[in-house]
Amino acid sequence: MSRRGWWAAAAGCLLLATPFAASAQSWSAQVRPRFETRIIDGDADSFTAMRTRVGLEWAFDLPGTLFVQLQDVRRWGTAPGDGSADLFDLHQGWVEFGHRGVSPVWIRAGRQEMNFGTRRLIAAPPWSHVSRSFDAGRAALRVSERTTFDVFFAQIAEERSFSGLWLETSNERMERGAAYALLQNDGASDGRRQTTLGAEALVRFGPARLQLEGALQTTEGVSDGAWFGAVRYTVPLAREGGLVSAGVDALSGAAPDADRRPFDRLYGLAHTYYGYADIFSDLDGSTGGRGLVDWIARGVWPLPDGWSLQLDLHHFRVAEGADLESAHLGNELDLSTRWQNGEGVSVLGGLSLFDDGEGRAELGQPDLGQIFGYLQVDVALQGR
């Protein structure tokens, strides 16, 4: 749809609200500039980018809600500020009926963000200024007080659709559990269909938490399937908000002679899980399609006056490296600090160091030993 079409759609959403008696209206706004610098072999590439969002929400008596959110994302200095730049977009525009997890049936239709479970496969990435929204219809059935069944269909592109079933539940021991079936139909790739079946669980052991997740993936026309698995064990510290955790994520790849495709992360998070330097945001390109194994240790320490400190250590290896002299892709240290005032204002800063492993050279990857730093200010307000 053209940009003029999106503006027309936004206006249409506003008109649709008029037949209903709006019982409440609210607004939201966000301004989030972030400075980033990346130093490779002494050469620095630095820029500042900013996201601006404005949202309006109407609640009416069905019960239902209409939400429209506009977004502008740009790098400073790349577009004039005289109104001639065409960088606005409709990030979200949806109508929903009921309340998910409360109403027996909940329905939402339109352009919307979607986040499921651990967000490893379906998410609106919080780090990305642009983030991600889906042109989708979604419904949820409240099976019981602790169980919800979701179904959705999203049109990703003219010839690509994405749909799924997601069952989520909990009990006294399991904080969250889910089973899911996801189908991606790509008409641009000879009509290939890709199916992903998986499950996840977050289990309590006293104060500790064990997170487990696994999925199998098949692609039409490919004989061997792909797989993904993750384990994370977390222990809270004495101070509220502090924790230490350790675990591993493994995503299968394909050796050069295998009739197999690497595991497709679909629309999940990369920055959150696979290092803040984003070396592996393009998983296939950075590993030569051989998959990834990421061993991680994390510590989070609360500090006075709303500050916190986080340290992540990553050890990256290829999943399919039997024919390589070394499967080691590199190590990464991520140090970050955050301040929040509890009223919608936060500051995030960090430094990441990535050191190449011997396996990257064997795969013909460039030497990316580098330093990545950033400083972000986020002001998010809302009112009625």
Side-chain angles (χ1 to χ4, degrees):
M1 185 183 294
S2 66
R3 196 169 301 278
R4 181 177 297 177
W6 285 122
W7 281 106
C13 288
L14 294 178
L15 293 174
L16 284 173
T18 56
F20 305 105
S23 59
Q25 302 84 37
S26 60
W27 59 268
S28 59
Q30 181 191 44
V31 176
R32 193 181 81 171
R34 182 170 68 230
F35 169 78
E36 299 181 28
T37 184
R38 196 175 294 270
I39 304 172
I40 304 176
D41 293 332
D43 296 326
D45 178 20
S46 304
F47 64 90
T48 299
M50 185 170 75
R51 177 170 79 192
T52 306
R53 285 179 174 175
V54 177
L56 295 174
E57 182 176 300
W58 292 263
F60 42 91
D61 295 332
L62 284 178
T65 304
L66 175 73
F67 180 67
V68 176
Q69 184 181 60
L70 302 178
Q71 172 177 279
D72 175 86
V73 176
R74 69 182 72 203
R75 287 192 181 189
W76 286 6
T78 59
D82 57 5
S84 62
D86 192 16
L87 297 173
F88 277 99
D89 194 12
L90 176 67
H91 180 62
Q92 294 193 82
W94 47 258
V95 60
E96 71 176 13
F97 301 96
H99 302 283
R100 186 182 181 278
V102 178
S103 304
V105 178
W106 168 83
I107 299 173
R108 176 183 289 179
R111 174 161 286 195
Q112 56 189 281
E113 293 185 347
M114 294 197 299
N115 293 282
F116 282 90
T118 63
R119 303 187 295 171
R120 282 184 168 92
L121 298 180
I122 307 173
W127 172 259
S128 167
H129 283 311
V130 177
S131 192
R132 180 185 294 114
S133 53
F134 298 84
D135 297 328
R138 182 178 171 188
L141 174 66
R142 186 172 181 261
V143 179
S144 68
E145 185 177 349
R146 295 187 173 185
T147 303
T148 304
F149 178 69
D150 282 84
V151 57
F152 68 87
F153 176 87
Q155 193 70 43
I156 304 301
E158 189 172 329
E159 296 185 68
R160 178 185 296 177
S161 63
F162 180 53
S163 55
L165 306 174
W166 194 285
L167 179 67
E168 188 163 302
T169 189
S170 65
N171 55 40
E172 291 75 10
R173 184 70 177 273
M174 186 170 60
E175 192 169 308
R176 186 185 68 248
Y180 51 85
L182 309 173
L183 174 66
Q184 181 156 258
N185 196 343
D186 192 349
S189 298
D190 301 323
R192 284 188 172 182
R193 282 192 263 186
Q194 181 186 79
T195 303
T196 305
L197 303 176
E200 63 178 60
L202 181 62
V203 184
R204 287 190 286 262
F205 292 93
R209 300 289 188 273
L210 176 65
Q211 184 184 95
L212 303 168
E213 185 171 1
L216 297 175
Q217 193 172 77
T218 59
T219 303
E220 192 174 27
V222 179
S223 61
D224 294 334
W227 55 267
F228 153 74
V231 179
R232 190 74 57 90
Y233 188 72
T234 302
V235 178
L237 300 178
R239 293 191 63 178
E240 183 177 354
L243 61 86
V244 291
S245 68
V248 61
D249 280 32
L251 302 95
S252 70
D257 58 348
D259 184 17
R260 178 191 302 169
R261 295 181 64 179
F263 186 85
D264 184 353
R265 295 187 301 103
L266 298 172
Y267 306 98
L269 300 180
H271 179 85
T272 299
Y273 286 107
Y274 307 123
Y276 293 166
D278 291 324
I279 304 299
F280 299 99
S281 57
D282 176 9
L283 188 60
D284 290 351
S286 57
T287 65
R290 291 172 175 264
L292 181 70
V293 177
D294 175 19
W295 294 89
I296 179 175
R298 168 174 293 174
V300 178
W301 297 270
L303 302 174
D305 302 320
W307 288 92
S308 64
L309 183 67
Q310 178 174 313
L311 175 65
D312 292 357
L313 299 174
H314 294 267
H315 177 76
F316 299 107
R317 304 181 69 84
V318 293
E320 303 286 345
D323 59 326
L324 301 176
E325 290 188 16
S326 174
H328 182 210
L329 293 174
N331 301 311
E332 182 172 325
L333 181 151
D334 298 324
L335 181 65
S336 60
T337 185
R338 180 187 295 270
W339 173 80
Q340 300 179 85
N341 73 343
E343 298 179 356
V345 181
S346 66
V347 177
L348 174 67
L351 183 69
S352 296
L353 307 176
F354 180 82
D355 181 43
D356 274 281
E358 303 84 353
R360 284 186 61 84
E362 285 192 70
L363 295 175
Q365 300 293 324
D367 184 356
L368 286 178
Q370 62 181 268
I371 301 172
F372 174 61
Y374 54 92
L375 179 62
Q376 172 180 286
V377 178
D378 189 349
V379 180
L381 304 176
Q382 57 185 1
R384 294 185 180 275

